[in-house]
Amino acid sequence: KIYGLRQGSARWHLSLSNTLTALGYIRSRAEPCLFSRRTTTEGTVHMCIVVDDFAITGDNLGAITKVKQEIMITWDYGF
């Protein structure tokens, strides 16, 4: 349970960071809310996360769709 906790946002970010890292994303050292994944087959996807809002961009629509599916499956989160 995360909602209602004093440190809920910090726990959410840590949990989400761990999940994205497990999915192959790398967190930016300069901007902790920015995650990137680059593959030879799917290209590059960048994801910026502020609290529970996601901004996703990339050079391949299929890769962006895959990211959304991974997040929806893992977190039961709808886009």
Side-chain angles (χ1 to χ4, degrees), residues 52-54 68-69 71-73 75-79:
D52 61 352
D53 293 324
F54 294 71
K68 290 180 178 182
Q69 291 172 344
I71 292 169
M72 285 189 290
I73 290 168
W75 290 100
D76 192 27
Y77 193 93
F79 284 92

Side-chain angles (χ1 to χ4, degrees), residues 48-78:
C48 182
I49 302 160
V50 179
V51 186
D52 61 352
D53 293 324
F54 294 71
I56 304 170
T57 187
D59 55 8
N60 181 324
L61 184 58
I64 293 170
T65 302
K66 182 178 177 182
V67 168
K68 290 180 178 182
Q69 291 172 344
E70 290 170 338
I71 292 169
M72 285 189 290
I73 290 168
T74 304
W75 290 100
D76 192 27
Y77 193 93

Side-chain angles (χ1 to χ4, degrees), residues 15-26 35 37 70 74:
S15 185
L16 183 62
S17 294
N18 290 340
T19 299
L20 292 176
T21 300
L23 291 172
Y25 290 86
I26 298 171
F35 292 83
R37 178 170 71 180
E70 290 170 338
T74 304

